[in-house]
């Protein structure tokens, strides 16, 4: 309200992707680098977040919602100091740096997003089901990384993600690959719900 501080989206839009529903609705996924706080006197304070945000175009703007990046153990927000109904629920703490190379697709009108988790160097997937976002890691590589340049499509009603993986190779080289993760169900909920295959492999990556 007017007597407490509000957190607002700031620098949003890098690594954005969009999808259009059959009714013309437009959904957008993006990376939020920075947000800011506005106190009752109108003073602004900037925060670095590193969140995955998803929103629906309302005809004037995208109504952004933070899907991943808020620390699960964030301190409880005092509703007398911050508007907990506003963006980021009034939470100013940053969590894992996530949300690069977003790729959004719609399944029966519901948004699903594949994206890169910078902190854990992993590919993640999130899906909105009955208004609740369910997020999990699709693949994480020991001494490597998976998930850059992710591209999500639905094939025969199931999600398929193409992405880059870099992992230890032979003779001192790294090995890179274009990798495909195919969901075994329409709504995968964990790493075990995916099947993996390399499409192209570079055995001697500098």
């Amino acid at each position: 309200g007017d007597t407490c501080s509000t957190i607002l989206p700031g620098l949003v839009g890098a690594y954005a992707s969009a999808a259009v529903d059959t009714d013309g609705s437009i959904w957008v996924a993006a990376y939020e680098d920075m947000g800011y706080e506005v106190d009752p006197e109108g003073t602004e304070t900037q925060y670095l977040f590193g969140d995955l945000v998803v929103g629906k175009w309302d005809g004037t703007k995208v109504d952004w919602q933070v899907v991943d990046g808020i620390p699960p153990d964030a301190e409880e927000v005092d509703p007398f100091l911050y508007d907990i109904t506003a963006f980021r629920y009034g939470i100013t703490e940053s969590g894992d740096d996530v949300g690069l190379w977003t790729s959004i697709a719609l399944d029966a009108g519901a948004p699903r997003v594949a994206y890169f988790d910078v902190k854990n160097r992993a590919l993640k997937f999130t899906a909105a089901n009955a208004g609740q976002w369910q997020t999990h890691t699709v693949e994480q590589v020991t001494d490597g990384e998976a998930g850059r340049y992710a591209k999500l499509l639905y094939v025969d009603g199931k999600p398929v993600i193409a992405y880059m993986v870099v992992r230890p190779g032979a003779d001192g080289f790294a090995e890179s690959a274009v990798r495909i993760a195919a969901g075994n169900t329409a709504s995968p909920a964990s790493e075990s719900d995916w099947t993996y295959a390399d499409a192209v492999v570079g055995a001697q990556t500098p």
Side-chain angles (χ1 to χ4, degrees):
D2 296 334
T3 61
C4 59
S5 295
T6 302
I7 306 302
L8 298 170
L11 186 59
V12 179
Y15 306 100
S17 64
V20 182
D21 201 358
T22 53
D23 64 359
S25 300
I26 302 173
W27 286 88
V28 185
Y31 177 68
E32 180 207 19
D33 195 312
M34 179 270 292
Y36 60 99
E37 171 187 336
V38 180
D39 68 17
E41 285 72 42
T43 303
E44 296 184 3
T45 303
Q46 294 184 353
Y47 294 95
L48 293 177
F49 287 139
D51 298 333
L52 169 70
V53 292
V54 180
K56 195 174 184 180
W57 175 256
D58 66 9
T60 304
K61 65 184 187 308
V62 177
D63 184 17
W64 295 115
Q65 176 186 1
V66 178
V67 175
D68 195 5
I70 296 176
D73 57 351
E75 292 186 13
E76 186 174 351
V77 176
D78 186 340
F80 292 101
L81 297 178
Y82 290 92
D83 183 356
I84 62 173
T85 67
F87 183 72
R88 231 173 177 269
Y89 316 107
I91 298 171
T92 59
E93 294 179 59
S94 61
D96 288 353
D97 189 4
V98 297
L100 277 65
W101 289 290
T102 73
S103 183
I104 190 170
L106 301 176
D107 177 32
R112 282 82 170 90
V113 184
Y115 58 101
F116 182 56
D117 177 342
V118 181
K119 171 69 182 300
N120 298 295
R121 300 166 74 183
L123 174 67
K124 297 187 78 173
F125 176 83
T126 188
N129 295 305
Q132 298 294 318
W133 288 94
Q134 298 174 326
T135 302
H136 67 275
T137 297
V138 176
E139 185 173 25
Q140 188 171 14
V141 178
T142 301
D143 297 326
E145 67 175 37
R148 289 180 187 263
Y149 317 112
K151 179 62 179 177
L152 170 67
L153 295 172
Y154 267 74
V155 180
D156 296 331
K158 296 178 182 178
V160 177
I161 309 171
Y163 55 99
M164 184 179 80
V165 62
V166 179
R167 57 206 176 205
D171 301 323
F173 288 98
E175 183 177 83
S176 61
V178 176
R179 194 154 164 84
I180 307 297
N184 300 327
T185 70
S187 300
S190 68
E191 193 169 353
S192 62
D193 291 332
W194 298 86
T195 300
Y196 308 89
D198 291 338
V200 180
V201 177
Q204 295 185 341
T205 300

